[in-house]
Amino acid sequence: DQQVKQNSPSLSVQEGRISILNCDYTNSMFDYFLWYKKYPAEGPTFLISISSIKDKNEDGRFTVFLNKSAKHLSLHIVPSQPGDSAVYFCAASAMDTDKLIFGTGTRLQVFP
Amino acid sequence: EAQVTQNPRYLITVTGKKLTVTCSQNMNHEYMSWYRQDPGLGLRQIYYSMNVEVTDKGDVPEGYKVSRKEKRNFPLILESPSPNQTSLYFCASRASSTEAFFGQGTRLTVV
């Protein structure tokens, strides 16, 4: 059973516009959520995180929103740049297990 | 520089020939884990370790072994590799309730 789901395998956005990547989860025990970016031939790199006590966290062009009642989080990238083209994974963990569970990833392509 | 180092980066082997992929971290993290990435399946956890001599199965442990004799090292062992273990493997480490740091990946092909 997939506890963390990214239902859009791919997303294409024009440079300068907003990119919105979505993630849903099923386990109400999750209390820490993260987004990772992955380029080909490299390991995933941490992008931004949010604790369940917050509903928004911002870092430069990247903002993560958490809607606990809907068990949904999203990553907004504004403005999108060609260098943002990568696969984005959302991940979640619960304090009691400290285990990170990943979604299946969304491939973002930002075109000029 | 904080890093997770895994070796080798690429490996082609034959069915049944035992192999080990090494992983080392220099951040004194308690928590280490191995993932495999397959198309359409994302990152699936194979094994994890919460500290020295403490290891546990992840979501897809069949066919793999691990050991954690020292805090910095967490090797992944395939005793008898099979073609369905052809995949891209990542080692990761983290301190409790923080982000995980990943290695560069090992692309394994079993023929």
Side-chain angles (χ1 to χ4, degrees):
Chain A
D1 180 32
Q2 191 80 25
Q3 295 186 66
V4 179
K5 301 176 187 178
Q6 294 176 258
N7 292 317
S8 299
S10 63
L11 176 67
S12 190
V13 171
Q14 189 172 30
E15 182 178 6
R17 303 267 189 164
I18 183 171
S19 295
I20 301 177
L21 294 94
N22 294 304
C23 180
D24 297 296
Y25 61 96
T26 58
N27 189 341
S28 56
M29 298 298 290
F30 288 149
D31 57 7
Y32 187 59
F33 304 89
L34 309 90
W35 284 94
Y36 282 82
K37 180 165 77 171
K38 185 184 178 304
Y39 293 118
E42 294 183 13
T45 54
F46 170 72
L47 198 54
I48 192 169
S49 64
I50 188 167
S51 162
S52 60
I53 62 173
K54 291 185 165 186
D55 53 20
K56 176 183 174 181
N57 189 26
E58 196 170 347
D59 184 1
R61 296 185 297 113
F62 303 92
T63 303
V64 56
F65 295 92
L66 176 63
N67 182 334
K68 289 187 288 292
S69 61
K71 294 193 177 69
H72 176 83
L73 66 154
S74 60
L75 174 68
H76 292 211
I77 307 173
V78 184
S80 300
Q81 299 173 354
D84 297 328
S85 298
V87 177
Y88 289 79
F89 291 99
C90 69
S93 74
M95 186 94 64
D96 59 340
T97 66
D98 219 21
K99 181 177 169 181
L100 261 187
I101 297 177
F102 285 83
T104 52
T106 296
R107 182 176 302 278
L108 172 67
Q109 183 181 8
V110 180
F111 58 93
Chain B
E1 181 191 352
Q3 58 184 0
V4 178
T5 304
Q6 52 182 111
N7 282 296
R9 293 288 312 275
Y10 301 92
L11 180 60
I12 301 175
T13 190
V14 296
T15 299
K17 185 176 181 183
K18 180 179 178 179
L19 66 92
T20 299
V21 184
T22 64
C23 175
S24 180
Q25 52 99 358
N26 64 0
M27 294 165 279
N28 203 37
H29 287 163
E30 297 88 9
Y31 196 97
M32 296 185 74
S33 52
W34 276 101
Y35 294 85
R36 59 178 288 176
Q37 183 189 2
D38 301 290
L41 297 175
L43 289 160
R44 296 180 294 167
Q45 193 178 57
I46 303 169
Y47 266 94
Y48 64 98
S49 168
M50 299 186 77
N51 216 323
V52 176
E53 302 291 2
V54 181
T55 64
D56 208 346
K57 296 177 181 178
D59 300 315
V60 287
E62 294 78 21
Y64 304 95
K65 282 175 57 176
V66 292
S67 70
R68 188 91 181 274
K69 294 187 171 59
E70 308 163 278
K71 200 170 188 179
R72 62 182 292 126
N73 295 323
F74 190 47
L76 179 70
I77 303 155
L78 285 72
E79 295 268 4
S80 183
S82 62
N84 65 11
Q85 292 178 298
T86 292
S87 187
L88 180 56
Y89 292 86
F90 291 101
C91 178
S93 76
R94 65 190 292 219
S96 181
S97 299
T98 63
E99 70 269 22
F101 293 81
F102 283 82
Q104 293 283 73
T106 296
R107 184 167 291 284
L108 172 65
T109 302
V110 184
V111 297

